[in-house]
Amino acid sequence: MYTESLVKFGKVRSEIRDLFEYGMKRKAEIGAENVFDFSIGNPSVPAPDCVNDAIKELVDDFDAVALHGYTSAQGDANVRETVANYINDKFNAGISADNIYMTCGAAASLSIVMNAVLQAGDECIVIKPYFPEYGVFLERTGAKLVEVDPEEKTFQIDIEKMSSAINEKTKMVVINSPNNPSGVVYKKDNVLAFCKLLKEKEEEYGHPIFLVSDEPYRALVYDDIELPYLINHYDNTFVCYSYSKALSLPGERIGYVVVSPKIANYEDAYAAVCGSGRALGYVCAPAMWQRVIAKCIDKTSDVSIYKKNRDLFYNSLTEMGYECVYPDGAFYLFVKAMEDDSRAFAEKAKKHELLVVPADSFGAPGYVRVSYCVNTEQIERALPAFKALAEEYK
Ligand code: PLP
């Protein structure tokens, strides 16, 4: 009677949500301080002061009807101009307000772009490990999700494997750097080699292959690493951005899509994004939050706290014998499970009150994701439990 695939999405919660719910129950049973919950990617650092200041200013100074009223479907023109100017100042990307579509966060940005471009019979490549919701966002298009392995150990893009995976049906490739769940940042050389490959494949097959850069973690890079702005390196690019992590606003649902000015048939590409937003019911991203982010355009949360957590956690776990991919960004550690079955490993971790997410649903069985967007003190207190868990495998 109902759309079967959607009933399934509604009934089967993600593994992360399941663990998070378990954590809430367990905290009620034994006290929050006794459960080491590393399950969810909810920023632990508060939004910067400019966010509250902006809200106050808007409430005090803005016409109340206009403040809460609809904006244009694609977002307030002044906000889009502010966003475009900021991107140009930072990356010299040559865009304008007309390249921006304001959305309810990266999830909406991705759904909009996937539904704007993909159709039944198309293939959309994702690189393992990847955000499992990609499969949900494109499900209604009828396109097929194709997983490609990364380079072993480094988790960078494997150019050869990519080259073999791309075929005449490939319409889209999604990359996510800094990556959820690995924390890996793709190196500039690696990304540029990948863009070169995509251009060659476009020529070989005679049609565009759209690159979607999923960037909610762009602001969360801890070392001196350049993150190339893909619009400057590959014409057929959409950027899906969000303020969920950069400004610690995941519940407010605000972000945007950038449609490259050099994309194939730009007018239709932007119209397809607008049409997709309309078809999915995503018109007019939250009006007040559009204006808040415009007022905080060059600010981020204090990401030095995540860097401190990353250093403490990575160094401590590797000293204990855990194998971790070095995370240059985001707020996740990707840890090799100490047995082949990462779900069994996560269950054993639970016995020590450690909540870590098996990475099977991220396309990477054998690993677990450990979110370190928590108080540093929680990491310090959890280290003996990680040590005891490692001891079990000795
Ligand atoms: N893409 C990735 C890789 C994510 O990790 C997330 C959220 O955690 C999203 C997209 C969705 O972000 P948003 O909360 O802005 O919709």
Side-chain angles (χ1 to χ4, degrees), residues 9-256:
F9 287 148
K11 280 194 175 161
V12 182
R13 261 202 316 244
S14 79
E15 237 166 344
I16 304 171
R17 287 267 152 204
D18 264 350
L19 199 60
F20 180 65
E21 298 293 331
Y22 167 85
M24 305 255 270
K25 228 176 78 211
R26 193 72 184 132
K27 284 174 195 170
E29 282 164 11
I30 64 166
E33 69 287 1
N34 298 315
V35 182
F36 307 117
D37 186 352
F38 300 106
S39 64
I40 207 156
N42 213 3
S44 54
V45 174
D49 290 344
C50 71
V51 167
N52 280 350
D53 294 344
I55 295 170
K56 284 180 202 143
E57 277 168 33
L58 286 167
V59 170
D60 287 346
D61 304 343
F62 220 83
D63 173 76
V65 174
L67 178 60
H68 301 297
Y70 290 119
T71 66
S72 304
Q74 66 270 44
D76 178 271
N78 293 327
V79 171
R80 288 185 291 117
E81 195 179 335
T82 305
V83 170
N85 289 342
Y86 176 73
I87 294 172
N88 289 337
D89 285 349
K90 226 169 149 131
F91 307 113
N92 199 15
I95 61 168
S96 75
D98 293 338
N99 298 98
I100 307 284
Y101 186 94
M102 300 303 297
T103 65
C104 304
S109 304
L110 289 158
S111 302
I112 287 171
V113 169
M114 287 176 171
N115 282 276
V117 171
L118 295 171
Q119 285 151 39
D122 294 337
E123 292 187 0
C124 172
I125 293 181
V126 295
I127 304 164
K128 291 191 216 170
Y130 64 93
F131 185 52
E133 292 297 287
Y134 293 155
V136 179
F137 299 153
L138 62 65
E139 200 272 343
R140 301 294 290 158
T141 67
K144 183 173 159 208
L145 193 77
V146 176
E147 299 175 341
V148 174
D149 283 319
E151 275 179 10
E152 259 176 59
K153 293 219 176 339
T154 64
F155 283 72
Q156 297 286 309
I157 305 170
D158 189 318
I159 305 293
E160 262 178 42
K161 289 207 180 96
M162 268 291 178
S163 177
S164 313
I166 296 172
N167 62 54
E168 69 279 356
K169 292 188 187 154
T170 308
K171 185 95 169 275
M172 178 178 282
V173 182
V174 181
I175 70 170
N176 168 226
S177 171
N179 181 266
N180 174 13
S182 69
V184 162
V185 176
Y186 298 140
K187 306 243 175 314
K188 187 175 177 189
D189 286 357
N190 184 239
V191 172
L192 297 191
F194 176 55
C195 290
K196 183 168 167 278
L197 170 74
L198 283 183
K199 280 178 216 159
E200 287 163 9
K201 292 288 180 183
E202 283 191 325
E203 274 182 28
E204 183 181 341
Y205 294 115
H207 63 74
I209 299 173
F210 296 99
L211 177 59
V212 175
S213 184
D214 178 22
E215 325 200 318
Y217 302 96
R218 172 173 277 279
L220 277 63
V221 176
Y222 309 120
D223 303 310
D224 195 15
I225 294 185
E226 190 190 339
L227 219 60
Y229 202 65
L230 289 175
I231 281 179
N232 292 337
H233 301 286
Y234 186 72
D235 290 351
N236 286 317
T237 296
F238 295 94
V239 174
C240 293
Y241 189 80
S242 141
Y243 294 91
S244 296
K245 322 285 172 170
L247 281 176
S248 303
L249 298 174
E252 306 302 354
R253 316 307 302 135
I254 190 76
Y256 57 78

Side-chain angles (χ1 to χ4, degrees), residues 38 307-327 333 335 338 354 370 372 376-391 394:
F38 300 106
K307 177 172 164 42
K308 187 174 157 201
N309 287 358
R310 191 269 317 251
D311 292 343
L312 169 68
F313 224 168
Y314 177 81
N315 293 337
S316 307
L317 292 194
T318 48
E319 248 170 54
M320 288 176 201
Y322 288 97
E323 236 182 86
C324 304
V325 187
Y326 188 74
L333 277 187
V335 182
M338 288 182 158
L354 293 170
V370 183
Y372 57 81
T376 309
E377 194 235 335
Q378 178 181 318
I379 300 174
E380 284 162 351
R381 285 190 304 104
L383 291 178
F386 275 104
K387 188 142 203 238
L389 177 63
E391 295 291 323
K394 285 206 169 131

